Amino acid sequence: PEDIDMLNSDPLKVKGLHYDIVLNGLEIGGGSIRIHDARLQKYIMKEILKLTNDRLNDFKHLLEALNSGCPPHGGIALGLDRILSILCNAPNLRHVIAFPKTSKGTDP
């Protein structure tokens, strides 16, 4: 992003490349363009997220892949339950979820 130069001075002001897909005013999915620069990814993990070297080692495969020249890439996740609620004209998501939970995380 254009504000990447603020990563060292004010990291909370740096914006990611995120997007949503909306149908009839309702969000049905979202995604982002992922970090594809190994140096930037390692900096964020080590300096921003403060991962220990042991924890950073868990991501060694990712950093090696990024060092190999990974192209810019992104993804999107669609919410099938959200799409079904629109198609079924359901009043809320709980009407189309197979095992809905209450707001306290318990079964109704």
XYZ file of all heavy atoms in Angstrom:
834
model
N 0.824 -1.204 0.000
C 0.000 0.000 0.000
C 0.863 1.262 0.000
O 2.040 1.218 0.322
C -0.805 -0.116 1.277
C -0.588 -1.485 1.810
C 0.590 -2.051 1.129
N 0.242 2.356 -0.310
C 0.971 3.617 -0.411
C 1.455 4.134 0.941
O 2.332 4.984 1.001
C 0.131 4.690 -1.104
C -1.151 5.051 -0.378
C -2.333 4.158 -0.696
O -2.231 3.303 -1.584
O -3.368 4.322 -0.031
N 0.930 3.625 2.037
C 1.345 4.102 3.352
C 2.322 3.151 4.055
O 2.541 3.258 5.249
C 0.128 4.374 4.242
C -0.867 3.231 4.243
O -0.546 2.159 3.701
O -1.966 3.412 4.780
N 2.952 2.260 3.319
C 3.885 1.285 3.882
C 5.078 1.952 4.553
O 5.652 1.404 5.494
C 4.342 0.267 2.807
C 5.024 -0.945 3.456
C 5.272 0.908 1.801
C 4.081 -1.880 4.107
N 5.426 3.174 4.125
C 6.563 3.875 4.729
C 6.301 4.249 6.190
O 7.224 4.572 6.921
C 6.935 5.115 3.907
C 5.779 6.072 3.734
O 4.638 5.598 3.542
O 6.002 7.291 3.780
N 5.053 4.190 6.649
C 4.730 4.490 8.047
C 4.851 3.258 8.943
O 4.598 3.340 10.139
C 3.311 5.060 8.151
C 3.184 6.442 7.552
S 1.628 7.254 7.982
C 0.421 6.165 7.275
N 5.241 2.127 8.374
C 5.318 0.895 9.150
C 6.266 1.018 10.338
O 5.974 0.510 11.415
C 5.745 -0.269 8.247
C 5.582 -1.657 8.823
C 4.139 -1.926 9.208
C 6.054 -2.690 7.827
N 7.375 1.712 10.166
C 8.332 1.879 11.265
C 7.878 2.930 12.269
O 8.027 2.755 13.476
C 9.709 2.286 10.728
C 10.334 1.180 9.919
O 10.167 0.015 10.222
N 11.059 1.556 8.888
N 7.319 4.025 11.788
C 6.996 5.143 12.670
C 5.604 5.048 13.296
O 5.420 5.407 14.455
C 7.114 6.461 11.904
O 6.221 6.471 10.807
N 4.615 4.593 12.556
C 3.233 4.547 13.057
C 2.506 3.365 12.422
O 1.638 3.544 11.559
C 2.539 5.869 12.733
C 1.321 6.104 13.609
O 0.944 5.196 14.381
O 0.763 7.202 13.526
N 2.833 2.141 12.842
C 2.304 0.955 12.174
C 0.782 0.831 12.194
O 0.201 0.211 11.307
C 2.963 -0.209 12.915
C 3.439 0.342 14.194
C 3.700 1.797 13.957
N 0.120 1.428 13.160
C -1.337 1.324 13.231
C -2.040 2.128 12.141
O -3.231 1.952 11.914
C -1.835 1.745 14.612
C -1.384 0.851 15.772
C -1.916 1.392 17.093
C -1.817 -0.583 15.562
N -1.314 3.008 11.468
C -1.906 3.795 10.388
C -1.737 3.141 9.013
O -2.283 3.628 8.029
C -1.320 5.200 10.372
C -1.794 6.029 11.543
C -1.451 7.473 11.370
C -2.036 8.258 12.531
N -1.697 9.660 12.466
N -0.982 2.053 8.958
C -0.773 1.364 7.687
C -2.012 0.523 7.380
O -2.480 -0.234 8.219
C 0.484 0.469 7.740
C 0.668 -0.278 6.433
C 1.712 1.306 8.058
N -2.523 0.684 6.187
C -3.735 -0.035 5.778
C -3.372 -1.269 4.954
O -2.421 -1.256 4.193
C -4.626 0.886 4.948
C -5.119 2.088 5.699
C -5.908 2.984 4.758
C -6.025 4.370 5.284
N -4.852 5.189 5.071
N -4.149 -2.300 5.122
C -3.994 -3.500 4.313
C -4.821 -3.386 3.043
O -5.609 -2.450 2.876
N -4.640 -4.320 2.158
C -5.418 -4.367 0.912
C -6.526 -5.403 1.089
O -6.396 -6.559 0.697
C -4.503 -4.716 -0.266
C -3.381 -3.716 -0.537
C -2.455 -4.243 -1.623
C -3.960 -2.380 -0.941
N -7.611 -4.975 1.709
C -8.730 -5.855 2.020
C -9.937 -5.478 1.167
O -10.080 -4.335 0.750
C -9.109 -5.729 3.498
C -7.966 -6.002 4.413
N -7.588 -7.270 4.763
C -7.101 -5.163 5.032
C -6.539 -7.206 5.563
N -6.224 -5.929 5.740
N -10.805 -6.438 0.946
C -11.998 -6.165 0.160
C -13.141 -7.055 0.622
O -12.933 -8.099 1.245
C -11.742 -6.356 -1.338
C -10.964 -7.618 -1.663
C -11.605 -8.829 -1.839
C -9.581 -7.590 -1.792
C -10.896 -9.978 -2.138
C -8.862 -8.729 -2.086
C -9.534 -9.921 -2.262
O -8.830 -11.063 -2.542
N -14.348 -6.608 0.352
C -15.565 -7.351 0.657
C -16.367 -7.508 -0.619
O -16.263 -6.693 -1.536
C -16.433 -6.607 1.678
C -15.792 -6.510 3.044
O -15.149 -7.500 3.457
O -15.931 -5.465 3.691
N -17.175 -8.549 -0.664
C -18.128 -8.702 -1.760
C -19.517 -8.576 -1.151
O -19.818 -9.181 -0.118
C -17.935 -10.032 -2.533
C -18.880 -10.097 -3.716
C -18.058 -11.227 -1.639
C -18.572 -11.205 -4.699
N -20.327 -7.726 -1.760
C -21.625 -7.372 -1.209
C -22.708 -7.695 -2.234
O -22.551 -7.446 -3.424
C -21.648 -5.864 -0.846
C -23.009 -5.443 -0.348
C -20.570 -5.559 0.177
N -23.795 -8.265 -1.742
C -24.953 -8.579 -2.579
C -26.180 -7.942 -1.943
O -26.496 -8.221 -0.787
C -25.130 -10.103 -2.694
C -26.348 -10.591 -3.465
C -26.261 -10.193 -4.929
C -26.479 -12.099 -3.331
N -26.826 -7.078 -2.676
C -28.028 -6.394 -2.176
C -27.788 -5.720 -0.823
O -28.625 -5.759 0.065
C -29.208 -7.363 -2.068
C -29.639 -7.885 -3.407
O -29.381 -7.283 -4.438
N -30.294 -9.031 -3.410
N -26.604 -5.140 -0.652
C -26.287 -4.417 0.571
C -25.826 -5.285 1.726
O -25.576 -4.776 2.813
N -25.702 -6.594 1.510
C -25.263 -7.494 2.567
C -23.929 -8.125 2.196
O -23.745 -8.595 1.075
C -26.308 -8.596 2.803
C -27.695 -8.099 3.219
C -28.700 -9.230 3.181
C -27.633 -7.496 4.611
N -23.019 -8.168 3.149
C -21.703 -8.763 2.904
C -21.839 -10.281 2.803
O -22.415 -10.922 3.681
C -20.758 -8.415 4.044
C -19.388 -9.024 3.882
C -18.510 -8.853 5.099
O -18.788 -7.976 5.940
O -17.540 -9.613 5.205
N -21.317 -10.842 1.715
C -21.358 -12.294 1.563
C -19.962 -12.908 1.516
O -19.816 -14.120 1.435
C -22.162 -12.728 0.313
C -21.560 -12.164 -0.963
C -23.620 -12.311 0.453
C -22.169 -12.736 -2.236
N -18.940 -12.077 1.579
C -17.583 -12.607 1.583
C -16.566 -11.504 1.697
O -16.891 -10.320 1.651
N -15.323 -11.914 1.858
C -14.247 -10.943 1.959
C -12.902 -11.606 1.764
O -12.783 -12.829 1.766
N -11.899 -10.786 1.579
C -10.561 -11.316 1.371
C -9.533 -10.215 1.402
O -9.808 -9.092 1.812
N -8.315 -10.561 0.954
C -7.237 -9.584 0.958
C -6.123 -10.013 0.025
O -6.043 -11.166 -0.372
C -6.670 -9.424 2.370
O -6.063 -10.631 2.789
N -5.287 -9.038 -0.320
C -4.038 -9.316 -1.007
C -3.018 -9.560 0.091
O -2.866 -8.748 1.001
C -3.603 -8.137 -1.908
C -4.667 -7.844 -2.949
C -2.244 -8.414 -2.547
C -4.950 -8.984 -3.915
N -2.333 -10.680 0.021
C -1.424 -11.070 1.090
C -0.020 -10.519 0.878
O 0.359 -10.160 -0.225
C -1.399 -12.583 1.192
C -2.764 -13.079 1.682
C -2.922 -14.548 1.489
N -4.178 -15.058 1.977
C -5.316 -15.014 1.305
N -5.375 -14.423 0.141
N -6.407 -15.542 1.786
N 0.730 -10.473 1.967
C 2.130 -10.041 1.886
C 2.880 -11.059 1.048
O 2.788 -12.262 1.291
C 2.743 -9.926 3.294
C 2.028 -8.839 4.089
C 4.242 -9.658 3.201
C 2.442 -8.783 5.549
N 3.617 -10.580 0.051
C 4.372 -11.492 -0.811
C 5.854 -11.146 -0.841
O 6.593 -11.631 -1.680
C 3.779 -11.509 -2.226
C 3.598 -10.147 -2.815
N 2.471 -9.395 -2.571
C 4.403 -9.392 -3.582
C 2.586 -8.248 -3.188
N 3.751 -8.212 -3.809
N 6.297 -10.332 0.101
C 7.701 -9.960 0.238
C 8.232 -10.571 1.539
O 7.736 -10.250 2.622
C 7.814 -8.434 0.267
C 9.234 -7.970 0.444
O 9.674 -7.878 1.614
O 9.903 -7.703 -0.565
N 9.227 -11.453 1.437
C 9.739 -12.173 2.607
C 10.293 -11.229 3.662
O 10.075 -11.436 4.866
C 10.812 -13.172 2.177
N 11.013 -10.182 3.256
C 11.575 -9.248 4.230
C 10.483 -8.523 5.002
O 10.566 -8.363 6.219
C 12.507 -8.248 3.547
C 13.837 -8.868 3.115
C 14.759 -7.860 2.468
N 14.117 -7.335 1.254
C 14.173 -6.085 0.849
N 14.847 -5.198 1.512
N 13.559 -5.715 -0.266
N 9.442 -8.090 4.293
C 8.327 -7.409 4.945
C 7.595 -8.356 5.886
O 7.262 -7.997 7.022
C 7.366 -6.832 3.905
C 6.101 -6.176 4.432
C 6.437 -5.008 5.350
C 5.226 -5.725 3.273
N 7.352 -9.583 5.439
C 6.653 -10.563 6.280
C 7.446 -10.849 7.552
O 6.894 -10.887 8.649
C 6.417 -11.855 5.505
C 5.613 -12.887 6.285
C 4.197 -12.441 6.528
O 3.398 -12.372 5.608
N 3.861 -12.143 7.767
N 8.756 -11.038 7.417
C 9.594 -11.318 8.581
C 9.625 -10.114 9.525
O 9.547 -10.275 10.750
C 11.013 -11.680 8.143
C 11.873 -12.141 9.285
C 13.214 -12.658 8.800
C 14.046 -13.175 9.964
N 15.325 -13.723 9.518
N 9.695 -8.907 8.976
C 9.688 -7.697 9.799
C 8.399 -7.613 10.618
O 8.423 -7.333 11.817
C 9.851 -6.449 8.924
C 9.763 -5.176 9.719
C 10.881 -4.688 10.387
C 8.570 -4.480 9.836
C 10.803 -3.524 11.143
C 8.476 -3.327 10.591
C 9.595 -2.855 11.239
O 9.510 -1.711 12.000
N 7.278 -7.857 9.981
C 5.994 -7.777 10.682
C 5.909 -8.836 11.769
O 5.496 -8.555 12.895
C 4.826 -7.868 9.685
C 4.775 -6.581 8.876
C 3.511 -8.124 10.408
C 3.770 -6.559 7.771
N 6.342 -10.044 11.451
C 6.294 -11.109 12.449
C 7.209 -10.817 13.643
O 6.831 -11.047 14.787
C 6.685 -12.442 11.822
C 5.674 -12.977 10.856
S 6.329 -14.458 10.069
C 4.819 -15.270 9.614
N 8.393 -10.325 13.364
C 9.389 -10.132 14.410
C 9.219 -8.804 15.148
O 9.221 -8.772 16.381
C 10.785 -10.202 13.798
C 11.872 -10.416 14.786
C 13.169 -10.776 14.098
C 14.161 -11.213 15.154
N 15.341 -11.822 14.623
N 9.045 -7.708 14.423
C 9.034 -6.382 15.043
C 7.643 -5.894 15.442
O 7.496 -5.206 16.447
C 9.687 -5.360 14.108
C 11.104 -5.715 13.697
C 12.055 -5.857 14.873
O 11.880 -5.136 15.872
O 12.979 -6.688 14.781
N 6.642 -6.225 14.671
C 5.283 -5.759 14.972
C 4.561 -6.760 15.878
O 4.018 -6.401 16.914
C 4.466 -5.525 13.683
C 5.189 -4.591 12.719
C 3.056 -5.032 14.000
C 5.341 -3.171 13.182
N 4.569 -8.042 15.475
C 3.888 -9.073 16.261
C 4.729 -9.596 17.424
O 4.209 -10.295 18.289
C 3.485 -10.234 15.352
C 2.507 -9.873 14.239
C 2.253 -11.080 13.342
C 1.205 -9.341 14.812
N 6.026 -9.272 17.421
C 6.944 -9.660 18.490
C 7.017 -11.173 18.693
O 7.060 -11.667 19.818
C 6.565 -8.981 19.818
C 6.450 -7.473 19.746
C 7.784 -6.831 19.530
C 7.656 -5.314 19.631
N 8.761 -4.611 19.067
N 7.037 -11.922 17.585
C 7.189 -13.369 17.694
C 8.612 -13.703 18.135
O 9.570 -13.061 17.714
C 6.910 -14.047 16.346
C 5.504 -13.921 15.773
C 5.392 -14.727 14.486
C 4.449 -14.368 16.754
N 8.724 -14.707 18.962
C 10.045 -15.167 19.380
C 10.715 -15.882 18.203
O 10.049 -16.278 17.243
C 9.940 -16.148 20.557
O 9.237 -17.311 20.110
C 9.229 -15.516 21.749
N 12.018 -16.086 18.298
C 12.730 -16.796 17.234
C 12.206 -18.220 17.082
O 12.123 -18.733 15.969
C 14.237 -16.802 17.491
C 14.854 -15.457 17.180
O 14.346 -14.698 16.360
N 15.952 -15.147 17.845
N 11.847 -18.863 18.198
C 11.278 -20.208 18.111
C 9.963 -20.197 17.342
O 9.705 -21.051 16.496
C 11.045 -20.794 19.507
C 12.325 -21.232 20.175
O 13.343 -21.414 19.471
O 12.316 -21.397 21.417
N 9.123 -19.229 17.649
C 7.824 -19.122 16.961
C 8.020 -18.722 15.499
O 7.337 -19.225 14.613
C 6.946 -18.103 17.688
C 5.546 -18.038 17.196
C 4.770 -19.291 17.591
N 3.413 -19.176 17.120
C 2.880 -19.937 16.171
N 3.585 -20.889 15.622
N 1.652 -19.745 15.786
N 8.967 -17.836 15.256
C 9.280 -17.420 13.887
C 9.760 -18.609 13.058
O 9.461 -18.709 11.869
C 10.335 -16.315 13.928
C 10.581 -15.530 12.659
C 9.321 -14.809 12.210
C 11.701 -14.534 12.862
N 10.457 -19.517 13.700
C 10.942 -20.717 13.024
C 9.792 -21.591 12.518
O 9.947 -22.333 11.545
C 11.844 -21.511 13.971
C 12.902 -22.281 13.228
O 13.303 -21.886 12.141
N 13.341 -23.370 13.821
N 8.617 -21.500 13.169
C 7.438 -22.247 12.715
C 6.978 -21.783 11.336
O 6.242 -22.492 10.651
C 6.278 -22.085 13.700
C 6.540 -22.761 15.034
O 7.404 -23.661 15.091
O 5.878 -22.382 16.021
N 7.382 -20.583 10.943
C 6.980 -20.018 9.660
C 8.119 -20.016 8.646
O 8.051 -19.324 7.633
C 6.451 -18.588 9.861
C 5.207 -18.539 10.693
C 5.274 -18.280 12.057
C 3.967 -18.776 10.124
C 4.138 -18.238 12.827
C 2.819 -18.743 10.892
C 2.903 -18.476 12.243
N 9.149 -20.793 8.930
C 10.322 -20.851 8.061
C 9.932 -21.241 6.628
O 10.423 -20.662 5.661
C 11.326 -21.852 8.625
C 12.618 -21.947 7.879
C 13.558 -22.936 8.562
C 14.825 -23.066 7.767
N 15.716 -24.078 8.361
N 9.022 -22.182 6.503
C 8.578 -22.627 5.172
C 7.923 -21.486 4.388
O 8.114 -21.358 3.186
C 7.624 -23.814 5.295
C 6.345 -23.471 6.008
N 6.273 -23.281 7.380
C 5.108 -23.234 5.528
C 5.033 -22.967 7.705
N 4.302 -22.930 6.607
N 7.153 -20.656 5.072
C 6.498 -19.525 4.415
C 7.527 -18.517 3.930
O 7.481 -18.065 2.780
C 5.517 -18.847 5.372
C 4.908 -17.536 4.885
C 4.031 -17.754 3.670
C 4.127 -16.864 5.997
N 8.471 -18.180 4.799
C 9.493 -17.201 4.428
C 10.362 -17.723 3.286
O 10.739 -16.964 2.391
C 10.343 -16.834 5.636
C 9.561 -16.143 6.769
C 10.434 -15.969 7.996
C 8.992 -14.818 6.306
N 10.658 -19.029 3.286
C 11.434 -19.614 2.187
C 10.653 -19.547 0.873
O 11.220 -19.248 -0.177
C 11.814 -21.059 2.506
C 12.898 -21.170 3.550
C 13.196 -22.609 3.947
O 12.576 -23.547 3.389
O 14.049 -22.799 4.826
N 9.357 -19.815 0.939
C 8.523 -19.736 -0.265
C 8.468 -18.309 -0.791
O 8.565 -18.078 -2.006
C 7.119 -20.252 0.035
N 8.317 -17.358 0.109
C 8.278 -15.961 -0.312
C 9.620 -15.531 -0.904
O 9.661 -14.751 -1.851
C 7.892 -15.056 0.861
C 6.471 -15.235 1.409
C 6.259 -14.346 2.624
C 5.427 -14.969 0.352
N 10.709 -16.035 -0.359
C 12.046 -15.730 -0.891
C 12.254 -16.308 -2.283
O 13.115 -15.830 -3.026
C 13.139 -16.260 0.039
C 13.616 -15.212 1.005
O 13.656 -14.032 0.679
N 13.972 -15.637 2.197
N 11.484 -17.298 -2.643
C 11.623 -17.933 -3.955
C 10.995 -17.105 -5.069
O 11.055 -17.490 -6.230
C 10.987 -19.322 -3.939
O 11.674 -20.149 -3.033
N 10.361 -16.014 -4.712
C 9.771 -15.143 -5.721
C 8.278 -15.309 -5.871
O 7.751 -15.311 -6.977
N 7.603 -15.439 -4.783
C 6.148 -15.601 -4.798
C 5.488 -14.356 -5.397
O 5.791 -13.232 -4.999
C 5.681 -15.810 -3.366
S 3.934 -16.089 -3.205
N 4.593 -14.535 -6.358
C 3.929 -13.366 -6.949
C 2.854 -12.812 -6.017
O 2.427 -13.505 -5.087
C 3.285 -13.944 -8.219
C 3.015 -15.371 -7.864
C 4.155 -15.788 -6.961
N 2.409 -11.584 -6.260
C 1.279 -11.069 -5.478
C 0.091 -12.017 -5.606
O -0.185 -12.541 -6.687
C 0.974 -9.724 -6.136
C 2.255 -9.327 -6.784
C 2.903 -10.611 -7.219
N -0.548 -12.283 -4.503
C -1.670 -13.215 -4.512
C -2.685 -12.810 -3.448
O -2.363 -12.109 -2.497
C -1.189 -14.653 -4.272
C -0.466 -14.835 -2.981
N 0.809 -14.352 -2.774
C -0.849 -15.408 -1.810
C 1.201 -14.653 -1.549
N 0.212 -15.272 -0.945
N -3.894 -13.244 -3.627
C -4.960 -12.925 -2.689
C -5.971 -14.038 -2.657
O -5.814 -15.075 -3.302
N -6.985 -13.824 -1.911
C -8.022 -14.831 -1.799
C -9.315 -14.192 -1.341
O -9.358 -13.032 -0.938
N -10.355 -14.986 -1.424
C -11.668 -14.531 -0.967
C -12.382 -15.722 -0.340
O -12.199 -16.858 -0.770
C -12.495 -13.936 -2.132
C -13.742 -13.253 -1.592
C -12.820 -14.977 -3.170
C -14.417 -12.356 -2.601
N -13.122 -15.463 0.697
C -13.916 -16.496 1.345
C -15.373 -16.066 1.292
O -15.726 -14.991 1.766
C -13.463 -16.686 2.792
N -16.178 -16.888 0.671
C -17.608 -16.603 0.598
C -18.312 -17.298 1.749
O -17.976 -18.425 2.106
C -18.183 -17.090 -0.732
C -17.633 -16.409 -1.975
C -18.208 -17.051 -3.229
C -17.937 -14.934 -1.956
N -19.288 -16.641 2.326
C -20.073 -17.221 3.416
C -21.316 -17.880 2.839
O -22.281 -17.201 2.488
N -21.274 -19.208 2.728
C -22.417 -19.933 2.179
C -23.678 -19.649 2.987
O -24.768 -19.486 2.426
C -22.121 -21.432 2.137
C -23.197 -22.314 1.519
C -23.467 -21.908 0.075
C -22.816 -23.771 1.601
N -23.533 -19.573 4.303
C -24.691 -19.277 5.138
C -25.273 -17.902 4.825
O -26.490 -17.716 4.793
C -24.337 -19.379 6.618
C -23.121 -18.560 7.015
O -22.455 -17.996 6.115
O -22.828 -18.482 8.219
N -24.413 -16.946 4.536
C -24.889 -15.594 4.201
C -25.614 -15.585 2.851
O -26.647 -14.936 2.694
C -23.722 -14.618 4.182
C -23.125 -14.413 5.557
C -21.823 -13.661 5.490
N -21.250 -13.502 6.808
C -21.381 -12.420 7.551
N -22.048 -11.379 7.099
N -20.837 -12.360 8.742
N -25.066 -16.309 1.881
C -25.706 -16.393 0.563
C -27.061 -17.088 0.694
O -28.061 -16.631 0.132
C -24.789 -17.125 -0.437
C -23.511 -16.312 -0.665
C -25.518 -17.377 -1.754
C -22.432 -17.048 -1.432
N -27.117 -18.190 1.455
C -28.378 -18.909 1.649
C -29.421 -18.049 2.347
O -30.601 -18.100 2.006
C -28.150 -20.190 2.443
C -27.514 -21.331 1.680
C -27.214 -22.496 2.605
C -28.402 -21.775 0.541
N -28.986 -17.243 3.312
C -29.957 -16.396 4.019
C -30.592 -15.386 3.065
O -31.768 -15.063 3.191
C -29.318 -15.696 5.217
O -28.409 -14.704 4.804
N -29.827 -14.915 2.086
C -30.375 -13.986 1.092
C -31.316 -14.734 0.147
O -32.435 -14.290 -0.126
C -29.241 -13.300 0.303
C -28.445 -12.374 1.235
C -29.793 -12.515 -0.884
C -27.167 -11.842 0.629
N -30.858 -15.900 -0.344
C -31.683 -16.670 -1.278
C -32.998 -17.134 -0.647
O -34.025 -17.194 -1.310
C -30.905 -17.886 -1.797
C -29.712 -17.580 -2.693
C -28.952 -18.855 -3.015
C -30.160 -16.882 -3.963
N -32.955 -17.468 0.639
C -34.149 -17.942 1.348
C -34.951 -16.813 1.977
O -35.986 -17.066 2.593
C -33.746 -18.929 2.441
S -32.970 -20.420 1.832
N -34.442 -15.579 1.841
C -35.081 -14.428 2.465
C -35.269 -14.642 3.970
O -36.297 -14.300 4.543
C -36.416 -14.111 1.779
C -36.832 -12.678 2.012
O -36.003 -11.820 2.277
N -38.127 -12.422 1.920
N -34.273 -15.255 4.600
C -34.332 -15.536 6.034
C -34.137 -14.242 6.828
O -33.387 -13.368 6.417
C -33.246 -16.541 6.412
N -34.794 -14.126 7.968
C -34.661 -12.910 8.772
C -33.263 -12.736 9.379
O -32.845 -11.623 9.661
C -35.714 -13.052 9.862
C -36.099 -14.481 9.877
C -35.766 -15.057 8.536
N -32.550 -13.853 9.594
C -31.173 -13.781 10.087
C -30.436 -15.083 9.775
O -31.049 -16.058 9.324
C -31.114 -13.434 11.583
C -31.794 -14.478 12.438
O -31.502 -15.664 12.347
N -32.713 -14.033 13.292
N -29.140 -15.082 10.032
C -28.300 -16.240 9.693
C -28.689 -17.498 10.455
O -28.536 -18.609 9.945
C -26.824 -15.933 9.971
C -26.136 -14.993 9.013
C -24.710 -14.706 9.489
C -26.105 -15.560 7.612
N -29.163 -17.357 11.655
C -29.499 -18.543 12.468
C -30.550 -19.412 11.806
O -30.629 -20.609 12.082
C -29.966 -18.118 13.857
C -28.820 -17.593 14.692
C -29.219 -17.285 16.085
N -30.097 -18.310 16.603
C -30.646 -18.270 17.789
N -30.409 -17.246 18.571
N -31.438 -19.213 18.208
N -31.345 -18.856 10.911
C -32.378 -19.643 10.240
C -31.816 -20.564 9.160
O -32.513 -21.459 8.705
C -33.444 -18.711 9.648
C -34.355 -18.148 10.675
N -34.037 -17.028 11.405
C -35.570 -18.552 11.118
C -35.020 -16.761 12.247
N -35.959 -17.674 12.103
N -30.584 -20.350 8.743
C -30.002 -21.190 7.695
C -28.766 -21.962 8.158
O -28.214 -22.753 7.402
C -29.653 -20.370 6.428
C -30.902 -19.779 5.811
C -28.632 -19.293 6.729
N -28.338 -21.760 9.384
C -27.182 -22.476 9.911
C -27.652 -23.803 10.495
O -28.638 -23.857 11.233
C -26.454 -21.628 10.987
C -25.879 -20.362 10.348
C -25.351 -22.425 11.666
C -25.236 -19.408 11.336
N -26.943 -24.875 10.162
C -27.347 -26.211 10.605
C -27.373 -26.349 12.122
O -28.286 -26.951 12.681
C -26.413 -27.254 9.994
N -26.384 -25.802 12.802
C -26.313 -25.923 14.257
C -26.090 -24.542 14.870
O -25.000 -24.231 15.334
C -25.178 -26.874 14.667
C -25.314 -28.234 14.064
C -24.540 -28.608 12.976
C -26.242 -29.146 14.562
C -24.668 -29.863 12.405
C -26.382 -30.403 13.994
C -25.592 -30.766 12.919
N -27.150 -23.715 14.883
C -26.964 -22.337 15.388
C -26.691 -22.312 16.883
O -27.139 -23.191 17.629
C -28.298 -21.668 15.059
C -29.273 -22.783 15.020
C -28.519 -23.978 14.508
N -25.974 -21.322 17.319
C -25.663 -21.106 18.725
C -26.341 -19.830 19.185
O -26.649 -18.945 18.391
C -24.158 -20.971 18.942
C -23.341 -22.151 18.508
C -23.481 -23.274 19.474
C -22.582 -24.431 19.077
N -22.806 -25.605 19.882
N -26.556 -19.734 20.484
C -27.084 -18.491 21.041
C -25.930 -17.488 21.145
O -24.783 -17.834 20.903
C -27.681 -18.723 22.439
O -26.623 -19.082 23.334
C -28.760 -19.803 22.420
N -26.239 -16.275 21.568
C -25.192 -15.261 21.707
C -24.176 -15.635 22.781
O -23.070 -15.118 22.814
C -25.803 -13.900 22.027
O -26.511 -13.971 23.243
N -24.525 -16.585 23.663
C -23.596 -17.047 24.703
C -22.819 -18.292 24.253
O -22.069 -18.872 25.042
C -24.349 -17.344 25.985
C -24.939 -16.088 26.609
C -25.639 -16.398 27.912
C -26.195 -15.094 28.469
N -26.887 -15.297 29.715
N -23.018 -18.734 23.008
C -22.288 -19.886 22.488
C -22.880 -21.225 22.870
O -22.237 -22.259 22.713
N -24.104 -21.220 23.360
C -24.749 -22.485 23.731
C -25.791 -22.858 22.683
O -26.221 -22.036 21.876
C -25.422 -22.360 25.112
O -26.407 -21.320 25.053
C -24.409 -22.033 26.192
N -26.212 -24.111 22.706
C -27.261 -24.565 21.795
C -28.613 -24.087 22.302
O -28.875 -24.106 23.491
C -27.268 -26.092 21.698
C -26.030 -26.629 21.024
O -25.631 -26.049 19.994
O -25.453 -27.619 21.501
N -29.494 -23.683 21.360
C -30.825 -23.225 21.801
C -31.683 -24.375 22.301
O -31.470 -25.493 22.050
C -31.418 -22.602 20.550
C -30.564 -22.984 19.404
C -29.293 -23.515 19.956
